[in-house]
Amino acid sequence: MTLIENLVSLHRVDSQVRALRGRLDSATTYLKSQQRQHADACSRRDELRSQIRQMQATAVNIENESNAIRDRIEALRGELNKSTNQKTYATILSELKLLQEKRDEADERALAQLGKVEEAKAKLVEVEGLAAQRQELLDSATKERNQCQVDVGERLAELERERAQAASHVPAKELDLFNRAAEVHEGEAMAEIVATDARRREYVCGACNMELPPEKFAVLSTNPNAAVVCVSCKRILFMAPQAQDAAKE
Ligand SMILES: [Zn+2]
């Protein structure tokens, strides 16, 4: 086989390897993005749960405060009933009035705090729903990726062996040209030349449309063991066999 034929078969198997790897890579990328979004949703949910616990604790503290005031009020009422002294009676009464105000204020705060807790709980239902949705998406992405690995894995290993085999027929220098072009053009390492005017031997690179200089065409059309690269995109150029025959005539 000629160099160009070997390069064309390398290109064929290389494209298949890349396409399969691409499938696996995109399933993996999708899975990773689902993992991230799931983790975000869970941490939002957990954060909200802990906020609610803190808010509930605050509400309990305020209620305890109110209860302590209530106990104090009850004790003072007892003293008030037993009181015979006018002055003491007036003092207790004014203290009772102050305490009642404090208790009302504490009850109001407790109510407001419980309102906040209820609001946060409603939000939590929403956030928990989102986290559950994210879990479902993550599960299906994991399943998809695993299935892809099963489907692709074996075939990919086989193709990679074929690729190594095809590459072994290409000399190091040309293989380097091929690999570099494949890297830059996502696997499109080769381009067929296209005639713009076959009679006048005017050809362009089929990938980027750059004109092929006559001296390069001369090599390409006569020496199938030389790698000619496009002056612009650096892809390795080749001619369809029938075009090659026509060029010889
Ligand atoms: Zn080109």
Side-chain angles (χ1 to χ4, degrees), residues 25-62:
D25 286 351
S26 63
T28 305
T29 306
Y30 180 69
L31 174 59
K32 280 188 184 154
S33 106
Q34 291 307 322
Q35 282 167 335
R36 256 196 316 277
Q37 295 185 66
H38 174 255
D40 285 350
C42 289
S43 84
R44 263 205 309 281
R45 179 200 60 199
D46 295 345
E47 203 178 306
L48 191 52
R49 280 179 182 164
S50 115
Q51 277 173 7
I52 289 173
R53 276 195 298 276
Q54 282 170 13
M55 287 159 91
Q56 283 171 325
T58 305
V60 169
N61 284 344
I62 301 171

PDB file of all heavy atoms in Angstrom, residues 25-62:
ATOM      1  N   ASP A  25     -17.297  10.786  25.941  1.00  0.00           N
ATOM      2  CA  ASP A  25     -16.934  12.047  26.603  1.00  0.00           C
ATOM      3  C   ASP A  25     -18.170  12.896  26.877  1.00  0.00           C
ATOM      4  O   ASP A  25     -18.289  13.503  27.929  1.00  0.00           O
ATOM      5  CB  ASP A  25     -15.962  12.860  25.729  1.00  0.00           C
ATOM      6  CG  ASP A  25     -14.567  12.256  25.747  1.00  0.00           C
ATOM      7  OD1 ASP A  25     -14.340  11.343  26.561  1.00  0.00           O
ATOM      8  OD2 ASP A  25     -13.717  12.681  24.942  1.00  0.00           O
ATOM      9  N   SER A  26     -19.092  12.952  25.895  1.00  0.00           N
ATOM     10  CA  SER A  26     -20.226  13.840  26.131  1.00  0.00           C
ATOM     11  C   SER A  26     -21.158  13.246  27.189  1.00  0.00           C
ATOM     12  O   SER A  26     -21.746  13.991  27.978  1.00  0.00           O
ATOM     13  CB  SER A  26     -20.958  14.207  24.836  1.00  0.00           C
ATOM     14  OG  SER A  26     -21.499  13.066  24.256  1.00  0.00           O
ATOM     15  N   ALA A  27     -21.244  11.904  27.243  1.00  0.00           N
ATOM     16  CA  ALA A  27     -22.040  11.289  28.318  1.00  0.00           C
ATOM     17  C   ALA A  27     -21.396  11.574  29.671  1.00  0.00           C
ATOM     18  O   ALA A  27     -22.089  11.838  30.659  1.00  0.00           O
ATOM     19  CB  ALA A  27     -22.163   9.788  28.100  1.00  0.00           C
ATOM     20  N   THR A  28     -20.063  11.569  29.714  1.00  0.00           N
ATOM     21  CA  THR A  28     -19.349  11.841  30.966  1.00  0.00           C
ATOM     22  C   THR A  28     -19.506  13.309  31.370  1.00  0.00           C
ATOM     23  O   THR A  28     -19.744  13.618  32.533  1.00  0.00           O
ATOM     24  CB  THR A  28     -17.848  11.502  30.807  1.00  0.00           C
ATOM     25  OG1 THR A  28     -17.753  10.144  30.374  1.00  0.00           O
ATOM     26  CG2 THR A  28     -17.108  11.660  32.109  1.00  0.00           C
ATOM     27  N   THR A  29     -19.380  14.204  30.386  1.00  0.00           N
ATOM     28  CA  THR A  29     -19.539  15.629  30.667  1.00  0.00           C
ATOM     29  C   THR A  29     -20.945  15.915  31.196  1.00  0.00           C
ATOM     30  O   THR A  29     -21.121  16.661  32.158  1.00  0.00           O
ATOM     31  CB  THR A  29     -19.307  16.447  29.376  1.00  0.00           C
ATOM     32  OG1 THR A  29     -18.041  16.078  28.843  1.00  0.00           O
ATOM     33  CG2 THR A  29     -19.311  17.936  29.650  1.00  0.00           C
ATOM     34  N   TYR A  30     -21.935  15.284  30.555  1.00  0.00           N
ATOM     35  CA  TYR A  30     -23.318  15.484  30.989  1.00  0.00           C
ATOM     36  C   TYR A  30     -23.493  14.973  32.419  1.00  0.00           C
ATOM     37  O   TYR A  30     -24.087  15.650  33.262  1.00  0.00           O
ATOM     38  CB  TYR A  30     -24.266  14.751  30.031  1.00  0.00           C
ATOM     39  CG  TYR A  30     -25.720  14.889  30.398  1.00  0.00           C
ATOM     40  CD1 TYR A  30     -26.366  16.117  30.266  1.00  0.00           C
ATOM     41  CD2 TYR A  30     -26.439  13.807  30.893  1.00  0.00           C
ATOM     42  CE1 TYR A  30     -27.693  16.260  30.620  1.00  0.00           C
ATOM     43  CE2 TYR A  30     -27.767  13.935  31.250  1.00  0.00           C
ATOM     44  CZ  TYR A  30     -28.394  15.159  31.112  1.00  0.00           C
ATOM     45  OH  TYR A  30     -29.711  15.298  31.468  1.00  0.00           O
ATOM     46  N   LEU A  31     -22.925  13.809  32.694  1.00  0.00           N
ATOM     47  CA  LEU A  31     -23.018  13.230  34.038  1.00  0.00           C
ATOM     48  C   LEU A  31     -22.384  14.170  35.068  1.00  0.00           C
ATOM     49  O   LEU A  31     -22.957  14.431  36.123  1.00  0.00           O
ATOM     50  CB  LEU A  31     -22.334  11.858  34.065  1.00  0.00           C
ATOM     51  CG  LEU A  31     -22.231  11.185  35.431  1.00  0.00           C
ATOM     52  CD1 LEU A  31     -23.607  10.979  36.040  1.00  0.00           C
ATOM     53  CD2 LEU A  31     -21.518   9.845  35.329  1.00  0.00           C
ATOM     54  N   LYS A  32     -21.217  14.706  34.734  1.00  0.00           N
ATOM     55  CA  LYS A  32     -20.534  15.604  35.680  1.00  0.00           C
ATOM     56  C   LYS A  32     -21.381  16.841  35.959  1.00  0.00           C
ATOM     57  O   LYS A  32     -21.449  17.315  37.091  1.00  0.00           O
ATOM     58  CB  LYS A  32     -19.166  16.011  35.127  1.00  0.00           C
ATOM     59  CG  LYS A  32     -18.134  14.936  35.349  1.00  0.00           C
ATOM     60  CD  LYS A  32     -16.741  15.419  34.974  1.00  0.00           C
ATOM     61  CE  LYS A  32     -15.731  14.290  35.110  1.00  0.00           C
ATOM     62  NZ  LYS A  32     -14.584  14.508  34.226  1.00  0.00           N
ATOM     63  N   SER A  33     -22.005  17.374  34.911  1.00  0.00           N
ATOM     64  CA  SER A  33     -22.805  18.572  35.129  1.00  0.00           C
ATOM     65  C   SER A  33     -24.030  18.232  35.981  1.00  0.00           C
ATOM     66  O   SER A  33     -24.445  19.023  36.834  1.00  0.00           O
ATOM     67  CB  SER A  33     -23.163  19.241  33.793  1.00  0.00           C
ATOM     68  OG  SER A  33     -24.504  19.019  33.472  1.00  0.00           O
ATOM     69  N   GLN A  34     -24.588  17.039  35.800  1.00  0.00           N
ATOM     70  CA  GLN A  34     -25.718  16.619  36.645  1.00  0.00           C
ATOM     71  C   GLN A  34     -25.269  16.422  38.090  1.00  0.00           C
ATOM     72  O   GLN A  34     -26.011  16.755  39.017  1.00  0.00           O
ATOM     73  CB  GLN A  34     -26.349  15.324  36.111  1.00  0.00           C
ATOM     74  CG  GLN A  34     -27.089  15.496  34.789  1.00  0.00           C
ATOM     75  CD  GLN A  34     -28.112  16.607  34.825  1.00  0.00           C
ATOM     76  OE1 GLN A  34     -28.800  16.823  35.821  1.00  0.00           O
ATOM     77  NE2 GLN A  34     -28.215  17.361  33.748  1.00  0.00           N
ATOM     78  N   GLN A  35     -24.069  15.896  38.265  1.00  0.00           N
ATOM     79  CA  GLN A  35     -23.552  15.701  39.629  1.00  0.00           C
ATOM     80  C   GLN A  35     -23.396  17.043  40.339  1.00  0.00           C
ATOM     81  O   GLN A  35     -23.756  17.183  41.502  1.00  0.00           O
ATOM     82  CB  GLN A  35     -22.195  14.980  39.582  1.00  0.00           C
ATOM     83  CG  GLN A  35     -22.343  13.486  39.349  1.00  0.00           C
ATOM     84  CD  GLN A  35     -21.028  12.808  38.995  1.00  0.00           C
ATOM     85  OE1 GLN A  35     -20.110  13.448  38.476  1.00  0.00           O
ATOM     86  NE2 GLN A  35     -20.935  11.525  39.240  1.00  0.00           N
ATOM     87  N   ARG A  36     -22.881  18.024  39.588  1.00  0.00           N
ATOM     88  CA  ARG A  36     -22.700  19.362  40.167  1.00  0.00           C
ATOM     89  C   ARG A  36     -24.042  19.958  40.571  1.00  0.00           C
ATOM     90  O   ARG A  36     -24.212  20.460  41.681  1.00  0.00           O
ATOM     91  CB  ARG A  36     -22.036  20.287  39.149  1.00  0.00           C
ATOM     92  CG  ARG A  36     -20.565  20.554  39.408  1.00  0.00           C
ATOM     93  CD  ARG A  36     -20.061  21.752  38.628  1.00  0.00           C
ATOM     94  NE  ARG A  36     -20.505  21.787  37.246  1.00  0.00           N
ATOM     95  CZ  ARG A  36     -19.914  21.121  36.246  1.00  0.00           C
ATOM     96  NH1 ARG A  36     -18.859  20.368  36.483  1.00  0.00           N
ATOM     97  NH2 ARG A  36     -20.372  21.194  35.015  1.00  0.00           N
ATOM     98  N   GLN A  37     -25.008  19.904  39.648  1.00  0.00           N
ATOM     99  CA  GLN A  37     -26.306  20.515  39.917  1.00  0.00           C
ATOM    100  C   GLN A  37     -27.039  19.795  41.050  1.00  0.00           C
ATOM    101  O   GLN A  37     -27.740  20.428  41.836  1.00  0.00           O
ATOM    102  CB  GLN A  37     -27.152  20.517  38.646  1.00  0.00           C
ATOM    103  CG  GLN A  37     -26.520  21.404  37.577  1.00  0.00           C
ATOM    104  CD  GLN A  37     -27.399  21.519  36.350  1.00  0.00           C
ATOM    105  OE1 GLN A  37     -28.478  22.079  36.414  1.00  0.00           O
ATOM    106  NE2 GLN A  37     -26.953  20.976  35.248  1.00  0.00           N
ATOM    107  N   HIS A  38     -26.859  18.482  41.125  1.00  0.00           N
ATOM    108  CA  HIS A  38     -27.474  17.728  42.203  1.00  0.00           C
ATOM    109  C   HIS A  38     -26.859  18.134  43.545  1.00  0.00           C
ATOM    110  O   HIS A  38     -27.569  18.362  44.525  1.00  0.00           O
ATOM    111  CB  HIS A  38     -27.280  16.221  41.954  1.00  0.00           C
ATOM    112  CG  HIS A  38     -27.755  15.363  43.080  1.00  0.00           C
ATOM    113  ND1 HIS A  38     -26.887  14.751  43.948  1.00  0.00           N
ATOM    114  CD2 HIS A  38     -28.997  15.050  43.496  1.00  0.00           C
ATOM    115  CE1 HIS A  38     -27.595  14.080  44.846  1.00  0.00           C
ATOM    116  NE2 HIS A  38     -28.872  14.245  44.602  1.00  0.00           N
ATOM    117  N   ALA A  39     -25.519  18.257  43.560  1.00  0.00           N
ATOM    118  CA  ALA A  39     -24.837  18.646  44.799  1.00  0.00           C
ATOM    119  C   ALA A  39     -25.280  20.048  45.243  1.00  0.00           C
ATOM    120  O   ALA A  39     -25.511  20.288  46.429  1.00  0.00           O
ATOM    121  CB  ALA A  39     -23.324  18.600  44.605  1.00  0.00           C
ATOM    122  N   ASP A  40     -25.438  20.958  44.261  1.00  0.00           N
ATOM    123  CA  ASP A  40     -25.903  22.314  44.584  1.00  0.00           C
ATOM    124  C   ASP A  40     -27.288  22.276  45.214  1.00  0.00           C
ATOM    125  O   ASP A  40     -27.545  22.933  46.223  1.00  0.00           O
ATOM    126  CB  ASP A  40     -25.968  23.178  43.311  1.00  0.00           C
ATOM    127  CG  ASP A  40     -24.585  23.600  42.849  1.00  0.00           C
ATOM    128  OD1 ASP A  40     -23.618  23.386  43.611  1.00  0.00           O
ATOM    129  OD2 ASP A  40     -24.476  24.138  41.734  1.00  0.00           O
ATOM    130  N   ALA A  41     -28.185  21.516  44.588  1.00  0.00           N
ATOM    131  CA  ALA A  41     -29.564  21.430  45.080  1.00  0.00           C
ATOM    132  C   ALA A  41     -29.585  20.840  46.488  1.00  0.00           C
ATOM    133  O   ALA A  41     -30.315  21.325  47.359  1.00  0.00           O
ATOM    134  CB  ALA A  41     -30.421  20.594  44.132  1.00  0.00           C
ATOM    135  N   CYS A  42     -28.764  19.819  46.736  1.00  0.00           N
ATOM    136  CA  CYS A  42     -28.725  19.197  48.063  1.00  0.00           C
ATOM    137  C   CYS A  42     -28.169  20.161  49.098  1.00  0.00           C
ATOM    138  O   CYS A  42     -28.655  20.215  50.223  1.00  0.00           O
ATOM    139  CB  CYS A  42     -27.875  17.929  48.049  1.00  0.00           C
ATOM    140  SG  CYS A  42     -28.684  16.599  47.167  1.00  0.00           S
ATOM    141  N   SER A  43     -27.149  20.927  48.712  1.00  0.00           N
ATOM    142  CA  SER A  43     -26.573  21.816  49.727  1.00  0.00           C
ATOM    143  C   SER A  43     -27.534  22.975  50.026  1.00  0.00           C
ATOM    144  O   SER A  43     -27.636  23.402  51.167  1.00  0.00           O
ATOM    145  CB  SER A  43     -25.171  22.297  49.325  1.00  0.00           C
ATOM    146  OG  SER A  43     -25.243  23.394  48.476  1.00  0.00           O
ATOM    147  N   ARG A  44     -28.299  23.423  48.999  1.00  0.00           N
ATOM    148  CA  ARG A  44     -29.332  24.445  49.271  1.00  0.00           C
ATOM    149  C   ARG A  44     -30.374  23.891  50.234  1.00  0.00           C
ATOM    150  O   ARG A  44     -30.786  24.568  51.181  1.00  0.00           O
ATOM    151  CB  ARG A  44     -30.020  24.867  47.958  1.00  0.00           C
ATOM    152  CG  ARG A  44     -29.451  26.128  47.346  1.00  0.00           C
ATOM    153  CD  ARG A  44     -30.468  26.838  46.465  1.00  0.00           C
ATOM    154  NE  ARG A  44     -31.082  25.965  45.479  1.00  0.00           N
ATOM    155  CZ  ARG A  44     -30.505  25.597  44.330  1.00  0.00           C
ATOM    156  NH1 ARG A  44     -29.309  26.040  44.032  1.00  0.00           N
ATOM    157  NH2 ARG A  44     -31.128  24.802  43.492  1.00  0.00           N
ATOM    158  N   ARG A  45     -30.792  22.654  49.980  1.00  0.00           N
ATOM    159  CA  ARG A  45     -31.799  22.004  50.833  1.00  0.00           C
ATOM    160  C   ARG A  45     -31.276  21.848  52.264  1.00  0.00           C
ATOM    161  O   ARG A  45     -31.957  22.210  53.230  1.00  0.00           O
ATOM    162  CB  ARG A  45     -32.133  20.639  50.230  1.00  0.00           C
ATOM    163  CG  ARG A  45     -33.144  19.837  51.037  1.00  0.00           C
ATOM    164  CD  ARG A  45     -33.065  18.373  50.678  1.00  0.00           C
ATOM    165  NE  ARG A  45     -31.720  17.867  50.955  1.00  0.00           N
ATOM    166  CZ  ARG A  45     -31.213  16.758  50.433  1.00  0.00           C
ATOM    167  NH1 ARG A  45     -31.927  16.051  49.569  1.00  0.00           N
ATOM    168  NH2 ARG A  45     -29.992  16.366  50.743  1.00  0.00           N
ATOM    169  N   ASP A  46     -30.035  21.372  52.412  1.00  0.00           N
ATOM    170  CA  ASP A  46     -29.475  21.132  53.744  1.00  0.00           C
ATOM    171  C   ASP A  46     -29.296  22.439  54.517  1.00  0.00           C
ATOM    172  O   ASP A  46     -29.535  22.500  55.721  1.00  0.00           O
ATOM    173  CB  ASP A  46     -28.133  20.395  53.637  1.00  0.00           C
ATOM    174  CG  ASP A  46     -28.326  18.997  53.045  1.00  0.00           C
ATOM    175  OD1 ASP A  46     -29.488  18.530  52.997  1.00  0.00           O
ATOM    176  OD2 ASP A  46     -27.328  18.384  52.610  1.00  0.00           O
ATOM    177  N   GLU A  47     -28.887  23.469  53.769  1.00  0.00           N
ATOM    178  CA  GLU A  47     -28.690  24.775  54.395  1.00  0.00           C
ATOM    179  C   GLU A  47     -30.023  25.301  54.934  1.00  0.00           C
ATOM    180  O   GLU A  47     -30.108  25.791  56.060  1.00  0.00           O
ATOM    181  CB  GLU A  47     -28.145  25.740  53.342  1.00  0.00           C
ATOM    182  CG  GLU A  47     -27.395  26.918  53.906  1.00  0.00           C
ATOM    183  CD  GLU A  47     -26.857  27.783  52.777  1.00  0.00           C
ATOM    184  OE1 GLU A  47     -26.152  27.223  51.909  1.00  0.00           O
ATOM    185  OE2 GLU A  47     -27.187  28.974  52.746  1.00  0.00           O
ATOM    186  N   LEU A  48     -31.064  25.152  54.101  1.00  0.00           N
ATOM    187  CA  LEU A  48     -32.386  25.624  54.512  1.00  0.00           C
ATOM    188  C   LEU A  48     -32.896  24.836  55.718  1.00  0.00           C
ATOM    189  O   LEU A  48     -33.469  25.408  56.653  1.00  0.00           O
ATOM    190  CB  LEU A  48     -33.358  25.512  53.332  1.00  0.00           C
ATOM    191  CG  LEU A  48     -34.709  26.202  53.491  1.00  0.00           C
ATOM    192  CD1 LEU A  48     -34.551  27.654  53.906  1.00  0.00           C
ATOM    193  CD2 LEU A  48     -35.519  26.109  52.207  1.00  0.00           C
ATOM    194  N   ARG A  49     -32.659  23.524  55.733  1.00  0.00           N
ATOM    195  CA  ARG A  49     -33.069  22.708  56.882  1.00  0.00           C
ATOM    196  C   ARG A  49     -32.394  23.187  58.156  1.00  0.00           C
ATOM    197  O   ARG A  49     -33.021  23.285  59.202  1.00  0.00           O
ATOM    198  CB  ARG A  49     -32.691  21.238  56.644  1.00  0.00           C
ATOM    199  CG  ARG A  49     -33.681  20.522  55.745  1.00  0.00           C
ATOM    200  CD  ARG A  49     -33.240  19.081  55.524  1.00  0.00           C
ATOM    201  NE  ARG A  49     -34.138  18.390  54.621  1.00  0.00           N
ATOM    202  CZ  ARG A  49     -33.847  17.252  54.006  1.00  0.00           C
ATOM    203  NH1 ARG A  49     -32.678  16.684  54.204  1.00  0.00           N
ATOM    204  NH2 ARG A  49     -34.720  16.678  53.206  1.00  0.00           N
ATOM    205  N   SER A  50     -31.099  23.520  58.033  1.00  0.00           N
ATOM    206  CA  SER A  50     -30.401  23.940  59.246  1.00  0.00           C
ATOM    207  C   SER A  50     -30.870  25.341  59.674  1.00  0.00           C
ATOM    208  O   SER A  50     -30.989  25.619  60.863  1.00  0.00           O
ATOM    209  CB  SER A  50     -28.890  23.828  59.041  1.00  0.00           C
ATOM    210  OG  SER A  50     -28.276  25.079  59.086  1.00  0.00           O
ATOM    211  N   GLN A  51     -31.195  26.195  58.678  1.00  0.00           N
ATOM    212  CA  GLN A  51     -31.750  27.514  59.031  1.00  0.00           C
ATOM    213  C   GLN A  51     -33.064  27.341  59.789  1.00  0.00           C
ATOM    214  O   GLN A  51     -33.328  28.039  60.766  1.00  0.00           O
ATOM    215  CB  GLN A  51     -32.006  28.326  57.754  1.00  0.00           C
ATOM    216  CG  GLN A  51     -30.762  29.030  57.226  1.00  0.00           C
ATOM    217  CD  GLN A  51     -31.025  29.672  55.871  1.00  0.00           C
ATOM    218  OE1 GLN A  51     -32.149  29.705  55.390  1.00  0.00           O
ATOM    219  NE2 GLN A  51     -29.969  30.188  55.265  1.00  0.00           N
ATOM    220  N   ILE A  52     -33.893  26.405  59.317  1.00  0.00           N
ATOM    221  CA  ILE A  52     -35.190  26.187  59.960  1.00  0.00           C
ATOM    222  C   ILE A  52     -34.994  25.707  61.404  1.00  0.00           C
ATOM    223  O   ILE A  52     -35.674  26.182  62.320  1.00  0.00           O
ATOM    224  CB  ILE A  52     -36.045  25.192  59.142  1.00  0.00           C
ATOM    225  CG1 ILE A  52     -36.501  25.877  57.850  1.00  0.00           C
ATOM    226  CG2 ILE A  52     -37.258  24.712  59.946  1.00  0.00           C
ATOM    227  CD1 ILE A  52     -37.205  24.961  56.875  1.00  0.00           C
ATOM    228  N   ARG A  53     -34.027  24.796  61.594  1.00  0.00           N
ATOM    229  CA  ARG A  53     -33.764  24.325  62.963  1.00  0.00           C
ATOM    230  C   ARG A  53     -33.352  25.487  63.876  1.00  0.00           C
ATOM    231  O   ARG A  53     -33.827  25.606  64.993  1.00  0.00           O
ATOM    232  CB  ARG A  53     -32.657  23.262  62.954  1.00  0.00           C
ATOM    233  CG  ARG A  53     -33.185  21.872  62.649  1.00  0.00           C
ATOM    234  CD  ARG A  53     -32.145  20.811  63.008  1.00  0.00           C
ATOM    235  NE  ARG A  53     -30.918  20.954  62.226  1.00  0.00           N
ATOM    236  CZ  ARG A  53     -30.760  20.436  60.997  1.00  0.00           C
ATOM    237  NH1 ARG A  53     -31.740  19.752  60.431  1.00  0.00           N
ATOM    238  NH2 ARG A  53     -29.639  20.600  60.333  1.00  0.00           N
ATOM    239  N   GLN A  54     -32.509  26.384  63.329  1.00  0.00           N
ATOM    240  CA  GLN A  54     -32.088  27.544  64.128  1.00  0.00           C
ATOM    241  C   GLN A  54     -33.265  28.460  64.438  1.00  0.00           C
ATOM    242  O   GLN A  54     -33.407  28.963  65.555  1.00  0.00           O
ATOM    243  CB  GLN A  54     -31.019  28.333  63.380  1.00  0.00           C
ATOM    244  CG  GLN A  54     -29.643  27.684  63.455  1.00  0.00           C
ATOM    245  CD  GLN A  54     -28.647  28.343  62.516  1.00  0.00           C
ATOM    246  OE1 GLN A  54     -28.901  29.421  61.997  1.00  0.00           O
ATOM    247  NE2 GLN A  54     -27.524  27.676  62.299  1.00  0.00           N
ATOM    248  N   MET A  55     -34.106  28.681  63.407  1.00  0.00           N
ATOM    249  CA  MET A  55     -35.262  29.560  63.596  1.00  0.00           C
ATOM    250  C   MET A  55     -36.226  28.975  64.620  1.00  0.00           C
ATOM    251  O   MET A  55     -36.795  29.701  65.442  1.00  0.00           O
ATOM    252  CB  MET A  55     -35.991  29.761  62.252  1.00  0.00           C
ATOM    253  CG  MET A  55     -35.230  30.661  61.292  1.00  0.00           C
ATOM    254  SD  MET A  55     -35.781  30.389  59.590  1.00  0.00           S
ATOM    255  CE  MET A  55     -37.062  31.577  59.494  1.00  0.00           C
ATOM    256  N   GLN A  56     -36.401  27.642  64.584  1.00  0.00           N
ATOM    257  CA  GLN A  56     -37.282  26.990  65.551  1.00  0.00           C
ATOM    258  C   GLN A  56     -36.720  27.118  66.963  1.00  0.00           C
ATOM    259  O   GLN A  56     -37.462  27.378  67.913  1.00  0.00           O
ATOM    260  CB  GLN A  56     -37.465  25.510  65.186  1.00  0.00           C
ATOM    261  CG  GLN A  56     -38.439  25.340  64.031  1.00  0.00           C
ATOM    262  CD  GLN A  56     -38.469  23.909  63.492  1.00  0.00           C
ATOM    263  OE1 GLN A  56     -37.444  23.240  63.475  1.00  0.00           O
ATOM    264  NE2 GLN A  56     -39.634  23.463  63.055  1.00  0.00           N
ATOM    265  N   ALA A  57     -35.397  26.986  67.070  1.00  0.00           N
ATOM    266  CA  ALA A  57     -34.757  27.118  68.383  1.00  0.00           C
ATOM    267  C   ALA A  57     -34.966  28.530  68.925  1.00  0.00           C
ATOM    268  O   ALA A  57     -35.266  28.715  70.110  1.00  0.00           O
ATOM    269  CB  ALA A  57     -33.268  26.791  68.271  1.00  0.00           C
ATOM    270  N   THR A  58     -34.841  29.524  68.038  1.00  0.00           N
ATOM    271  CA  THR A  58     -35.064  30.907  68.456  1.00  0.00           C
ATOM    272  C   THR A  58     -36.513  31.086  68.936  1.00  0.00           C
ATOM    273  O   THR A  58     -36.764  31.727  69.965  1.00  0.00           O
ATOM    274  CB  THR A  58     -34.777  31.871  67.282  1.00  0.00           C
ATOM    275  OG1 THR A  58     -33.463  31.626  66.821  1.00  0.00           O
ATOM    276  CG2 THR A  58     -34.927  33.320  67.681  1.00  0.00           C
ATOM    277  N   ALA A  59     -37.458  30.491  68.190  1.00  0.00           N
ATOM    278  CA  ALA A  59     -38.872  30.605  68.575  1.00  0.00           C
ATOM    279  C   ALA A  59     -39.095  29.993  69.966  1.00  0.00           C
ATOM    280  O   ALA A  59     -39.799  30.570  70.804  1.00  0.00           O
ATOM    281  CB  ALA A  59     -39.753  29.921  67.534  1.00  0.00           C
ATOM    282  N   VAL A  60     -38.467  28.849  70.215  1.00  0.00           N
ATOM    283  CA  VAL A  60     -38.603  28.194  71.532  1.00  0.00           C
ATOM    284  C   VAL A  60     -38.031  29.094  72.633  1.00  0.00           C
ATOM    285  O   VAL A  60     -38.639  29.264  73.694  1.00  0.00           O
ATOM    286  CB  VAL A  60     -37.894  26.809  71.528  1.00  0.00           C
ATOM    287  CG1 VAL A  60     -37.786  26.239  72.933  1.00  0.00           C
ATOM    288  CG2 VAL A  60     -38.659  25.841  70.630  1.00  0.00           C
ATOM    289  N   ASN A  61     -36.890  29.716  72.361  1.00  0.00           N
ATOM    290  CA  ASN A  61     -36.293  30.635  73.344  1.00  0.00           C
ATOM    291  C   ASN A  61     -37.243  31.771  73.684  1.00  0.00           C
ATOM    292  O   ASN A  61     -37.403  32.135  74.852  1.00  0.00           O
ATOM    293  CB  ASN A  61     -34.990  31.239  72.807  1.00  0.00           C
ATOM    294  CG  ASN A  61     -33.855  30.232  72.870  1.00  0.00           C
ATOM    295  OD1 ASN A  61     -33.960  29.227  73.573  1.00  0.00           O
ATOM    296  ND2 ASN A  61     -32.785  30.486  72.128  1.00  0.00           N
ATOM    297  N   ILE A  62     -37.872  32.333  72.645  1.00  0.00           N
ATOM    298  CA  ILE A  62     -38.786  33.459  72.888  1.00  0.00           C
ATOM    299  C   ILE A  62     -40.003  32.978  73.710  1.00  0.00           C
ATOM    300  O   ILE A  62     -40.461  33.655  74.633  1.00  0.00           O
ATOM    301  CB  ILE A  62     -39.247  34.107  71.565  1.00  0.00           C
ATOM    302  CG1 ILE A  62     -38.026  34.605  70.763  1.00  0.00           C
ATOM    303  CG2 ILE A  62     -40.182  35.286  71.833  1.00  0.00           C
ATOM    304  CD1 ILE A  62     -38.354  35.065  69.356  1.00  0.00           C
TER     305      ILE A  62
END
